[in-house]
Amino acid sequence: MVAVGTLATFVVAALASLFMAWAIGAGSSGSTPFAPAVGANAISVMRAGFIVGLLGFAGAFLQGANVTNAVGTELIGGVTLTAAAAVVALLTAAVLVALGVFAGYPIATAFTVTGAVVGVGLAMGGVPAWSKYQQILSLWVLTPFVGGGASYATARTLRAEEVSERWTVPALAGIVGLLVANMEFASLGVNGSSASVARVAALELTGVVGIGETVWFVVASLSVGLVAAAIVGRWISTNQARGQRRFLLALGGLVAFSAGGSQVGLAIGPLVPLLDAVTVPLPALLVGGGLGLLAGSWTGAPRMIKALAQDYSSLGPRRSIAAMIPSFAIAQTAVALGVPVSFNEIIVSAIIGSGYAAGGSGVSGRKMLYTVLAWIGSLLLAFGLGYGIFTLVSIVFPV
């Protein structure tokens, strides 16, 4: 039997988590995936917000466990987050993200949540999880260089007159197909574990035909890549402009799905330490977080989609494709590693890279500077507020 006080504090924490999920859906996961597609006039702002909400919900349920567990249990050592700590961390981060949404600046959600959770954890007397911080910071620092550099190189290739887009775009689709074949989904593996389509196919075929699992894994991955290349190749050969837009929309959908798998952990991760006390299964928590993301995407995301699509760079279909492919790859890497990552950082870096491939046309340097300062400031501010507010709460309401 769950104590009334324990249940009440969990409900308050869950409501704070739901608010955080709404803020993320309205800002990070809801706005960034389709921003390049909107900038390329491949889809309207309102339709983008509607679709990204559905795909984000699916990603939250099928891929959200890794980041959720990392945020809830791996950011601080020596202590377990209490309901009060979860409420302080979630409300601190959610308010900062919501302010960014209404101000029109993309606050990095991963920065605010990580800073707030670490802040309250240290205020509780916990110790820093240095190895996890090194992993997180490595990805955060590398993202602008890897994502922006890959986007720049891809955009330059697509713009090169000596290379036909009838070959380059399908080849890029083949690479995306390889990544899709290796995306891990919940309950697809043995005994309900996560597994990729390529891995499951390899295991099944190994039992039927006497060829090693590794060989079948490579064959399955390449097969998905070839199918993707063939489909996009047909689109391009039939109508090049329409084919580019279709490919761009497919990329936006994949990034939206990945955003749900990563960003839901930022909203519900602090609740994980409380699950044993209230006997709520993690899948149910993922569904709740996914619904919060969906609500945010439908009600608040259009404003940020417009800001990213119009204020950061005027992208055509080729530069948008160049921005989305590395964004998808980085997003899936973060999901697999269980690292909280900012989709604003991923997409904005890729947009800058593809924009500079065209000589920097349409890229607002002033907007970029303000955005970077907002990212750094949100991390430090969330940490300071999380630590200070929880310390004050502990003094006023001692346990």
Side-chain angles (χ1 to χ4, degrees), residues 210-276:
I211 301 177
E213 180 184 336
T214 302
V215 175
W216 280 120
F217 175 76
V218 173
V219 170
S221 299
L222 291 176
S223 297
V224 176
L226 289 173
V227 169
I231 292 174
V232 174
R234 182 174 179 80
W235 290 347
I236 295 296
S237 62
T238 302
N239 186 309
Q240 183 169 304
R242 185 182 301 170
Q244 289 178 345
R245 288 195 295 270
R246 287 181 176 177
F247 183 37
L248 180 57
L249 289 174
L251 289 171
L254 290 172
V255 173
F257 182 88
S258 303
S262 173
Q263 303 295 279
V264 72
L266 301 175
I268 67 175
L271 299 181
V272 170
L274 313 178
L275 295 184
D276 291 338

Side-chain angles (χ1 to χ4, degrees), residues 119-132:
V120 299
L122 293 180
M124 290 178 63
V127 297
W130 293 116
S131 60
K132 191 64 178 181

Side-chain angles (χ1 to χ4, degrees), residues 31-332:
S31 63
T32 51
F34 276 98
V38 173
N41 296 318
I43 190 172
S44 67
V45 172
M46 297 305 297
R47 183 174 296 180
F50 177 77
I51 295 175
V52 79
L54 296 176
L55 293 173
F57 173 79
F61 181 73
L62 295 174
Q63 286 196 315
N66 282 357
V67 176
T68 297
N69 286 321
V71 172
T73 62
E74 299 177 15
L75 292 181
I76 203 74
V79 296
T80 299
L81 291 182
T82 62
V87 170
V88 171
L90 288 168
L91 287 179
T92 298
V95 168
L96 291 177
V97 173
L99 289 175
V101 171
F102 293 117
Y105 283 95
I107 300 298
T109 310
F111 292 5
T112 56
V113 173
T114 300
V117 170
V118 173
V120 299
L122 293 180
M124 290 178 63
V127 297
W130 293 116
S131 60
K132 191 64 178 181
Y133 300 162
Q134 290 174 0
Q135 188 183 45
I136 292 172
L137 288 175
S138 296
L139 186 61
W140 287 358
V141 172
L142 287 174
T143 290
F145 300 99
V146 175
S151 178
Y152 175 85
T154 303
R156 288 298 297 266
T157 300
L158 290 173
R159 290 174 57 85
E161 296 181 358
E162 63 272 16
V163 181
S164 173
E165 291 185 25
R166 296 188 62 180
W167 298 104
T168 54
V169 175
L172 292 172
I175 295 174
V176 173
L178 289 174
L179 295 174
V180 171
N182 288 278
M183 292 170 59
E184 293 194 349
F185 300 95
S187 303
L188 197 59
V190 180
N191 298 325
S193 61
S194 299
S196 67
V197 173
R199 182 62 63 188
V200 171
L203 289 173
E204 293 294 331
L205 293 172
T206 300
V208 177
V209 183
I211 301 177
E213 180 184 336
T214 302
V215 175
W216 280 120
F217 175 76
V218 173
V219 170
S221 299
L222 291 176
S223 297
V224 176
L226 289 173
V227 169
I231 292 174
V232 174
R234 182 174 179 80
W235 290 347
I236 295 296
S237 62
T238 302
N239 186 309
Q240 183 169 304
R242 185 182 301 170
Q244 289 178 345
R245 288 195 295 270
R246 287 181 176 177
F247 183 37
L248 180 57
L249 289 174
L251 289 171
L254 290 172
V255 173
F257 182 88
S258 303
S262 173
Q263 303 295 279
V264 72
L266 301 175
I268 67 175
L271 299 181
V272 170
L274 313 178
L275 295 184
D276 291 338
V278 294
T279 63
V280 174
L282 181 58
L285 200 62
L286 290 171
V287 170
L291 289 174
L293 294 180
L294 186 148
S297 296
W298 285 359
T299 59
R303 176 184 176 89
M304 288 303 299
I305 291 175
K306 181 180 179 181
L308 281 172
Q310 297 181 2
D311 293 346
Y312 283 88
S313 182
S314 300
L315 301 179
R318 290 180 296 182
R319 284 159 55 192
S320 297
I321 290 171
M324 295 302 283
I325 293 176
S327 299
F328 171 54
I330 294 173
Q332 280 300 312

